Amino acid sequence: MARAKLEVADIFRAHGAAWRAANAGHVSLDQLKVMSAIERCRTAVLGGHVARCEDCVHEHIAYNSCRNRHCPKCQAGAAKAWLAAREAELLPVRYFHLVFTLPKPIADIARTNKRELYNLLMRASADTVIRIAADPKHLGARVGITSVLHTWGSAMTHHPHVHMIVPGGGLSTDGSSWIACRRNFFLSVRVLSRLYRGLILDRLDKLHGAGKLQFFGNHAELNNPAAFNAFLQPLRKIDWVVYAKEPFAGPKAVLAYLSRYTHRVAISNSRLIRFDADSVTFKVKNYRAKGSGRHTTMTLATDEFIRRFLIHVLPKGQHRIRHYGFYGNGNRAANITRIWGLLGARTPSREDAGDASECDIDQPPRVLALPCPCCGGQLIIVEAIAPAQHPRAPPKPKKAAA
C-alpha cells in the first residue's frame, strides 16, 4: 500500500515541539505521549527490519509501528485483528445500527470529565437498549450489543456519541428460543430517547453528589449543587437525539461497516490535503448537506489543528469498544453457540473466519505483507534493526539523611 502523501505525523514533526512549548502546563501526559508516539511511528527511532525479495534480491527496510491507538497509521492492523475475531461471532440475522449522542451542554462538561462522562454515555445507552428490548411490550428478549465510542465530528470538534450494532432479535428469558424483531424495525426511537435521557440525567446528578465531576472556567459555578440542578433542568424538557439507521444488508455489510468505524481516530491521513507554517487544509463532510455539497474542505491554523486532534485522546485505560447483553465477554462464546443452534444454522469454525493470531501486530511476521516494489515478489525478513538508543539522564543523588 502506497504511503499517504501527507500524514498527521508530518505536522507533528514540523510543529509539535513549538506547540508543546507554547502550551506548556496545559497539555496532559497522555496527550504528550500520543504526540511522541505518532512522531516516532515507523521511523528508525523504533527500530525495524530488513526484508529481501525472493525473486530479484531487492532489499527493503521497514520500520516498526508505534501501535498507539490514536495513531492514524497503526489502526489498520489493529482493526484487522479485531475483525478476524468478530467474524466468527456474527449471526445469520439482520443487524441494526443505532446512534446515541449527548446534548451540547453535557458534551461541553465532558471535556473536563472525560472518563466519567464517556463511561456514562456508553453504559446508559447500552442499559437503555437492554431495558427496552427486555420489555414484553417491545421485544421481550435479551439482546446483544457492540458499542463503539466516537468523540469527534468531521471537523474534529468535540462531539461524543456512540455507534451501536445490534442483531435484530434476542434470547428469550429462559434462553430456550430466539425472538426476532420485525424485518425493518427494532425498537421505538422515541421510547429509547426518553429512557436514555432519564438515565443520563439521573446518573449525572449522582456523580455530582458524589463529588466525581470537576468544573473550571465558565463552568466553575456548576460545582454548586443548586447551579448544577438549574443547568440540568432545561435538558429534562427537550428531545434527545437517538436515531436508527437503515438495517444492514446481512452480516458481511456489518463487517464492512465495523472495519471502517471500530478503530477510527479523529482524522485519517487520507483526509489531509496540505499544510504549511500557518495552516492545515483537510477534507470534511457536512452531514446536513446533500449531494456533491456534502463533501468540502476546511482550513485551520496549525495550532488549532493540533489542539483539536489532541482533545480526542482518551484517558488511560478507557475502552472505546464494548460488548453488552449476550455479547458480554464472560459468556459470549456459549451464548453465540446456543443462538446458532436455535437458528438451526452451522456454527462457523475458526477456519471459516480466519485466525486472529495471523493478524497479530505485536510480532512482525517472517513474510512482509508488502510486495517487492521492484518486481512484486515476496519480501522475506532477513535482519532486525534495533531501536535507536537514547542516553538517559543520570539518576538524581539521594539526599543525605538529616
Side-chain angles (χ1 to χ4, degrees), residues 6 10 22 35 83 122 132 138 143 151 166 181 189 193 216 224 231 285 287 293 297 306 309 313 374 396 398:
L6 177 59
D10 298 324
M35 290 189 75
L83 285 170
M122 298 197 78
I132 299 300
H138 297 281
V143 295
T151 64
V166 190
C181 67
V189 169
S193 176
F216 307 96
N224 180 280
F231 170 78
K285 183 184 291 185
Y287 292 95
T297 63
I306 296 175
F309 185 93
V313 171
C374 293
K396 294 182 180 179
K398 294 183 179 179

Side-chain angles (χ1 to χ4, degrees), residues 110-123:
R111 295 190 184 205
T112 54
N113 298 278
K114 288 183 178 180
R115 188 180 303 278
E116 290 76 15
L117 269 295
Y118 293 168
N119 284 337
L120 174 58
L121 168 60
M122 298 197 78
R123 183 71 257 182

Side-chain angles (χ1 to χ4, degrees), residues 222-380:
L222 297 182
N223 285 299
N224 180 280
F228 188 70
N229 184 61
F231 170 78
L232 295 183
Q233 202 59 36
L235 300 175
R236 302 182 189 278
K237 302 175 183 178
I238 63 172
D239 291 329
W240 287 32
V241 178
V242 176
Y243 62 92
K245 294 191 174 183
E246 292 284 335
F248 292 102
K252 289 185 177 180
V254 177
L255 275 182
Y257 173 83
L258 288 174
S259 67
R260 298 193 303 270
Y261 270 79
T262 54
H263 292 74
R264 269 190 179 178
V265 296
I267 189 169
S268 63
N269 290 329
S270 61
R271 290 175 54 198
L272 300 176
I273 298 175
R274 60 183 175 273
F275 86 104
D276 54 33
D278 302 313
S279 63
V280 180
T281 301
F282 55 97
K283 302 172 188 175
V284 295
K285 183 184 291 185
N286 182 356
Y287 292 95
R288 296 179 180 178
K290 295 182 179 180
S292 59
R294 200 173 191 186
H295 298 272
T296 182
T297 63
M298 173 177 284
T299 299
L300 293 176
T302 305
D303 287 357
E304 174 64 9
F305 177 90
I306 296 175
R307 186 196 71 83
R308 289 196 189 187
F309 185 93
L310 293 178
I311 63 175
H312 304 293
V313 171
L314 296 177
K316 184 177 181 181
Q318 179 88 43
H319 295 285
R320 65 182 176 192
I321 304 174
R322 301 185 186 183
H323 306 280
Y324 302 95
F326 62 68
Y327 275 149
N329 292 333
N331 54 4
R332 180 192 305 166
N335 286 334
I336 291 172
T337 300
R338 182 188 301 119
I339 293 170
W340 274 89
L342 293 174
L343 294 172
R346 181 180 69 87
T347 305
S349 63
R350 292 196 67 84
E351 288 74 16
D352 296 332
D355 190 340
S357 64
E358 294 175 359
C359 305
D360 188 357
I361 62 172
D362 288 334
Q363 295 295 331
R366 181 174 176 268
V367 179
L368 284 188
L370 295 172
C372 173
C374 293
C375 68
Q378 196 171 64
L379 292 171
I380 306 296

Side-chain angles (χ1 to χ4, degrees), residues 1-41:
M1 183 173 63
R3 180 182 182 274
K5 293 181 179 179
L6 177 59
E7 299 178 350
V8 172
D10 298 324
I11 299 169
F12 280 6
R13 289 173 193 141
H15 301 285
W19 190 89
R20 287 189 288 267
N23 293 274
H26 300 282
V27 188
S28 71
L29 180 60
D30 289 337
Q31 291 172 326
L32 290 174
K33 287 182 177 179
V34 168
M35 290 189 75
S36 176
I38 292 175
E39 288 169 358
R40 297 184 301 163
C41 187

